[in-house]
Amino acid sequence: MLGDTLENVRKTVPLVHNITNYVTVNDVANVLLAAGGSPIMSDEPEDVEDITTICGGLNINIGTLNKQTIEGMFRAGRKAAELGHTILLDPVGAGASSLRTNTAVKLMDEIKFTVIRGNISEIKTLALGSGTTKGVDADVADAVTDETLDSAVKFVKDFAKKADAVVAITGAIDLVSDGDKCYVIRNGRPEMGRITGTGCQLSALTTAFVVANPDNKLEAAAAAVCTMGLAGEIGWSRMQDGDGNSTYRNRIIDAIFNMDAETLNKGAKYEIR
Amino acid sequence: MLGDTLENVRKTVPLVHNITNYVTVNDVANVLLAAGGSPIMSDEPEDVEDITTICGGLNINIGTLNKQTIEGMFRAGRKAAELGHTILLDPVGAGASSLRTNTAVKLMDEIKFTVIRGNISEIKTLALGSGTTKGVDADVADAVTDETLDSAVKFVKDFAKKADAVVAITGAIDLVSDGDKCYVIRNGRPEMGRITGTGCQLSALTTAFVVANPDNKLEAAAAAVCTMGLAGEIGWSRMQDGDGNSTYRNRIIDAIFNMDAETLNKGAKYEIR
Amino acid sequence: MLGDTLENVRKTVPLVHNITNYVTVNDVANVLLAAGGSPIMSDEPEDVEDITTICGGLNINIGTLNKQTIEGMFRAGRKAAELGHTILLDPVGAGASSLRTNTAVKLMDEIKFTVIRGNISEIKTLALGSGTTKGVDADVADAVTDETLDSAVKFVKDFAKKADAVVAITGAIDLVSDGDKCYVIRNGRPEMGRITGTGCQLSALTTAFVVANPDNKLEAAAAAVCTMGLAGEIGWSRMQDGDGNSTYRNRIIDAIFNMDAETLNKGAKYEIR
């Protein structure tokens, strides 16, 4: 059950090294603490190898990349790979600029990621651009809906297989696949898009879940996605008259702080394809 | 009416590129989302041109400038100017250090800004220092009060005319001028000064408003200033016993999330000189 | 009484220059404003000397150090020392990476700090590594508990004497010493560890308190530690069903905003050894 994977996070307190953007980094740290993990941030190339060595997982998010931090991503990624750590890529803005696309593709080519998480457009950019994933048919729609679901499921499975990674495409409907199975998840609320950083938070959360569940990576990643979406639902249910996106941000993290296995098991809405 | 300019933000979802300080960047992103806009952050020189190209406006805030991001500001600014985008300068700390003063002045000299927003002391520094605005009499008091209002209105008009921009000077009384007319705005609460970043948030908000109202820049900027001040009033009215500046921060952004044209039209307190 | 030191912060509004990590920087700014101080952030080497000159204190936190900001720390530190300003070191992660350890030790060797604040493991790393503190017996336990209290008090006194600084070791029990006396403080709540940045906030707060109480540094630092812990207690007492660490973060800063001398005097739990 998904709830067990959450309990494993709380029991093992996975230490996650984050090289992430400065926009949402505080929420990323607090969401890891809310789930029962522990965050460390470090992006200086001379610092990242030592830091990643003492962690269980590495979360690379290119949201505000610069030349220094890109070098940090590669050095941390290589070290973490060498140590067999969980490594997640969140290719924020891949497709929106050459630097982002090229960095994400080069990271994919040089580092073996455990998980890749992004929206459909970012993941399509990776599928088209990366040598390691060339050959994946990325001719799918730009939103995962009931109408486009079949082709999107096929796409995420193909991409996961080629990349030899768990791939999570998040949006109105979330897809999480290891190439073989695909979780189709319908938790969450559209208002989550009115808060900055729910995607960044989910990437950090997913890293922690996978670190804590090394033998069950697909289910762990799916559980992280359900946890985030369910927290969005619970947080919304606690909104009062006059509350807006800033309070909603707090309530979502609060809901993760209070999430337990039973709540997650009951509230997770998914099917496996 | 000012309310229409807010509705245009909600209808057109302006994408705003922010090169801003890492202190208040999260609130900047959330306030843009609250108003109905969409934020992107990027400060790496190699990334900013691509990113600003896909946006409608550029918000340059020098609050935690460094040599890399300064280069990013110039490259983004030139590109945005070339594309005819809305460009705003928030000269945080101009006057407090040589680097800040020189950077702000040089930005003014090289890039045609649509809007400049700062406190009276920052704007005076620009007026004294910039080749493009030399000749403006900056011999005004360091606070805009009823006593100093006449000379401050004259100053902001002169500066706006010289700079060929909309200029917003914010403080206890806010002034927004295009060189011809000047909005004198009396929204807001003194307690807003006990929160970090209300100025940075206002700069981002103003950028979004102007992007969404290209034929009505002065009114759009004034509407953004009224929206922020009114949100400060509404947010304060929702404070409960024991609440302080951290909760107040959330309530202000929440109030912007819930602001509608009617509330803004009713609550805006201004005269035009 | 400790409460007087808080009142001095509110009366004198100390301006604190922070070179701090981008994870918790927003909370650091808001906590300084909550206490009655005023924050400025600047880490660019070419900017820091001007900025620190106009401030009363400098708070150096190495939480997300990089080569540029390290240079900024040294330049700001030297300038602040030259001007006789209060300077605080928060050696985040010293012991966790060579770069962090070496940077903290080198800062200690080159700059005369007024206050050093960290957890027991960070402070032990400094005691072992720094030329200026060599000879301090750092063979104490890794947590300050009732069982290890005697040796920990001896250690912090020895280290403070060698470093000629006020040293604050924070954890379940907090110790603040100038080498002669040692405050043993029992405010706070374990749940504060589930929020990112309470340590960083405390370092900024301590800087402000010491700036505002130049003739009473030890008591000022102890008062800052009590204020933070007591705010953690008050904040927790205001938590409602469903609230979690994100709301708790707000409530702690809110409690500092509302703290007065009487509340602090009544709520501070300490003995002097």
Side-chain angles (χ1 to χ4, degrees):
Chain A
M1 296 288 285
L2 299 186
D4 296 337
T5 65
L6 170 61
E7 290 198 337
N8 288 337
V9 176
R10 302 216 186 267
K11 268 181 226 154
T12 61
V13 194
L15 189 52
V16 176
H17 174 199
N18 301 276
I19 303 183
T20 188
N21 67 76
Y22 57 80
V23 185
T24 65
V25 60
N26 186 267
D27 294 330
V28 162
N30 275 329
V31 90
L32 281 168
L33 288 160
S38 186
I40 303 189
M41 276 66 179
S42 163
D43 57 28
E44 159 61 44
E46 307 267 305
D47 196 50
V48 294
E49 292 174 359
D50 281 0
I51 293 298
T52 221
T53 298
I54 59 170
C55 293
L58 171 63
N59 169 33
I60 295 180
N61 173 310
I62 66 169
T64 52
L65 80 184
N66 64 44
K67 273 180 219 155
Q68 288 293 310
T69 57
I70 291 171
E71 195 195 330
M73 292 170 195
F74 279 95
R75 286 178 68 165
R78 282 187 214 109
K79 187 66 175 184
E82 192 186 308
L83 296 167
H85 290 181
T86 294
I87 319 177
L88 180 143
L89 175 64
D90 185 337
V92 182
S97 78
S98 301
L99 184 67
R100 286 163 194 255
T101 303
N102 294 342
T103 300
V105 166
K106 213 167 154 229
L107 282 165
M108 288 278 297
D109 285 344
E110 290 201 21
I111 292 155
K112 172 71 186 65
F113 285 96
T114 321
V115 189
I116 300 152
R117 192 213 67 82
N119 63 33
I120 181 80
S121 135
E122 290 157 352
I123 301 297
K124 279 170 67 174
T125 299
L126 287 188
L128 288 165
S130 172
T132 53
T133 55
K134 279 269 170 60
V136 173
D137 178 10
D139 186 22
V140 287
D142 274 330
V144 180
T145 62
D146 281 314
E147 286 67 42
T148 62
L149 189 55
D150 287 345
S151 67
V153 167
K154 183 183 179 317
F155 165 67
V156 72
K157 281 188 178 179
D158 286 355
F159 181 64
K161 203 169 291 170
K162 277 270 184 180
D164 190 18
V166 172
V167 174
I169 296 177
T170 54
I173 301 174
D174 306 310
L175 306 177
V176 185
S177 176
D178 62 354
D180 181 23
K181 289 197 288 184
C182 178
Y183 282 76
V184 178
I185 299 171
R186 291 166 193 268
N187 286 107
R189 294 216 33 119
E191 293 84 357
M192 296 174 81
R194 297 288 296 277
I195 304 170
T196 190
T198 50
C200 307
Q201 291 177 42
L202 176 53
S203 288
L205 211 56
T206 304
T207 311
F209 270 72
V210 173
V211 171
N213 295 279
D215 301 326
N216 217 355
K217 293 185 174 74
L218 175 65
E219 197 183 12
V225 173
C226 290
T227 298
M228 192 76 208
L230 183 57
E233 297 169 25
I234 294 170
W236 190 256
S237 74
R238 295 187 65 235
M239 295 284 277
Q240 297 174 356
D241 211 42
D243 286 349
N245 61 334
S246 193
T247 292
Y248 190 29
R249 178 257 305 269
N250 295 316
R251 294 208 188 284
I252 293 174
I253 298 176
D254 286 355
I256 290 172
F257 184 89
N258 289 304
M259 187 79 67
D260 58 26
E262 199 192 327
T263 307
L264 178 56
N265 284 336
K266 272 194 195 160
K269 302 190 198 94
Y270 65 91
E271 55 172 327
I272 300 174
R273 292 251 195 145
Chain B
M1 298 288 285
L2 300 186
D4 297 337
T5 65
L6 170 62
E7 288 197 339
N8 287 337
V9 176
R10 302 215 187 267
K11 267 181 227 153
T12 61
V13 194
L15 188 52
V16 176
H17 175 198
N18 302 276
I19 304 184
T20 189
N21 67 76
Y22 57 80
V23 185
T24 65
V25 61
N26 187 267
D27 294 331
V28 162
N30 275 329
V31 91
L32 281 168
L33 288 160
S38 185
I40 303 189
M41 276 66 179
S42 163
D43 58 27
E44 159 61 42
E46 307 267 304
D47 196 48
V48 293
E49 293 173 358
D50 282 358
I51 293 298
T52 221
T53 299
I54 58 170
C55 293
L58 170 64
N59 170 33
I60 295 181
N61 173 310
I62 66 170
T64 52
L65 80 186
N66 65 44
K67 273 179 220 155
Q68 288 293 311
T69 57
I70 291 171
E71 194 194 331
M73 292 170 195
F74 279 96
R75 286 178 68 166
R78 281 188 215 109
K79 187 66 176 181
E82 192 186 308
L83 296 168
H85 290 181
T86 294
I87 319 178
L88 181 143
L89 175 64
D90 186 338
V92 182
S97 78
S98 301
L99 184 67
R100 286 162 194 256
T101 303
N102 294 342
T103 300
V105 167
K106 215 169 152 227
L107 282 165
M108 288 277 297
D109 285 343
E110 289 201 20
I111 293 155
K112 172 72 185 64
F113 286 97
T114 322
V115 190
I116 300 152
R117 193 214 66 82
N119 62 35
I120 180 80
S121 135
E122 290 157 353
I123 301 297
K124 278 170 68 175
T125 299
L126 286 188
L128 288 166
S130 173
T132 53
T133 56
K134 278 268 171 60
V136 173
D137 177 10
D139 186 23
V140 288
D142 274 331
V144 182
T145 62
D146 282 313
E147 285 67 42
T148 63
L149 189 56
D150 286 346
S151 67
V153 167
K154 183 182 178 320
F155 166 68
V156 72
K157 281 188 177 177
D158 286 355
F159 182 63
K161 204 170 292 170
K162 277 269 184 183
D164 190 18
V166 172
V167 174
I169 296 178
T170 54
I173 300 174
D174 306 311
L175 306 176
V176 185
S177 175
D178 62 355
D180 182 23
K181 290 195 287 184
C182 178
Y183 282 76
V184 178
I185 299 170
R186 292 167 194 269
N187 286 107
R189 293 214 37 116
E191 292 85 357
M192 295 173 82
R194 297 289 296 279
I195 304 170
T196 191
T198 50
C200 308
Q201 290 176 43
L202 176 53
S203 288
L205 211 56
T206 304
T207 311
F209 271 72
V210 173
V211 171
N213 296 278
D215 301 327
N216 216 356
K217 293 185 174 75
L218 175 65
E219 196 183 15
V225 173
C226 290
T227 297
M228 192 76 209
L230 184 56
E233 297 169 25
I234 294 170
W236 190 257
S237 75
R238 296 187 64 234
M239 295 283 278
Q240 297 174 355
D241 211 43
D243 286 350
N245 61 335
S246 193
T247 291
Y248 189 29
R249 180 256 306 268
N250 294 317
R251 294 207 187 285
I252 292 174
I253 298 176
D254 285 356
I256 290 171
F257 184 90
N258 289 304
M259 187 79 66
D260 57 26
E262 199 191 329
T263 308
L264 178 56
N265 284 336
K266 271 193 195 160
K269 301 190 198 95
Y270 64 91
E271 53 172 329
I272 300 174
R273 292 248 197 149
Chain C
M1 298 287 285
L2 299 187
D4 296 337
T5 65
L6 170 62
E7 289 197 338
N8 287 336
V9 176
R10 303 215 185 267
K11 268 180 228 155
T12 61
V13 193
L15 189 52
V16 177
H17 175 198
N18 302 277
I19 304 183
T20 189
N21 67 75
Y22 56 80
V23 185
T24 65
V25 61
N26 186 267
D27 294 331
V28 161
N30 275 329
V31 90
L32 281 168
L33 289 161
S38 185
I40 303 190
M41 276 66 179
S42 163
D43 58 27
E44 160 60 43
E46 307 267 305
D47 195 50
V48 294
E49 293 175 357
D50 281 359
I51 293 297
T52 220
T53 298
I54 60 170
C55 293
L58 170 64
N59 170 32
I60 295 181
N61 173 310
I62 67 170
T64 51
L65 79 186
N66 65 45
K67 273 179 219 155
Q68 288 293 309
T69 57
I70 291 171
E71 195 194 329
M73 292 171 195
F74 279 96
R75 286 178 68 165
R78 281 188 214 109
K79 187 67 174 181
E82 194 187 307
L83 297 167
H85 290 182
T86 295
I87 319 177
L88 181 144
L89 175 64
D90 186 338
V92 182
S97 77
S98 302
L99 184 68
R100 286 162 194 256
T101 303
N102 294 342
T103 300
V105 166
K106 215 168 152 229
L107 282 165
M108 289 278 296
D109 286 345
E110 290 201 20
I111 293 156
K112 172 73 186 62
F113 285 97
T114 321
V115 189
I116 300 151
R117 193 213 65 81
N119 63 35
I120 181 79
S121 134
E122 290 157 353
I123 300 297
K124 280 169 67 174
T125 299
L126 287 188
L128 288 165
S130 172
T132 54
T133 54
K134 278 270 171 58
V136 173
D137 178 10
D139 186 21
V140 287
D142 274 330
V144 181
T145 62
D146 282 313
E147 286 67 43
T148 64
L149 189 56
D150 286 345
S151 67
V153 168
K154 183 182 178 321
F155 166 67
V156 73
K157 282 188 176 178
D158 287 354
F159 181 63
K161 203 169 290 168
K162 278 268 185 182
D164 190 18
V166 172
V167 174
I169 296 177
T170 54
I173 301 174
D174 305 311
L175 306 176
V176 185
S177 176
D178 62 355
D180 182 23
K181 290 197 287 185
C182 178
Y183 282 76
V184 178
I185 299 171
R186 292 166 194 270
N187 286 107
R189 294 216 33 120
E191 293 83 358
M192 295 173 81
R194 297 288 295 278
I195 304 170
T196 190
T198 50
C200 307
Q201 291 176 43
L202 176 53
S203 288
L205 210 57
T206 304
T207 310
F209 271 72
V210 173
V211 172
N213 296 277
D215 300 327
N216 217 356
K217 294 185 173 75
L218 176 64
E219 197 183 12
V225 173
C226 290
T227 298
M228 191 77 209
L230 184 55
E233 296 169 25
I234 294 169
W236 189 256
S237 74
R238 296 186 65 233
M239 295 284 278
Q240 296 174 355
D241 211 44
D243 286 350
N245 61 334
S246 193
T247 290
Y248 189 29
R249 178 259 305 267
N250 295 317
R251 294 207 186 284
I252 292 174
I253 297 176
D254 285 355
I256 290 171
F257 184 90
N258 289 303
M259 187 78 67
D260 57 25
E262 199 191 330
T263 307
L264 178 56
N265 284 335
K266 270 193 195 161
K269 301 189 199 97
Y270 65 91
E271 55 173 327
I272 299 174
R273 293 250 195 146

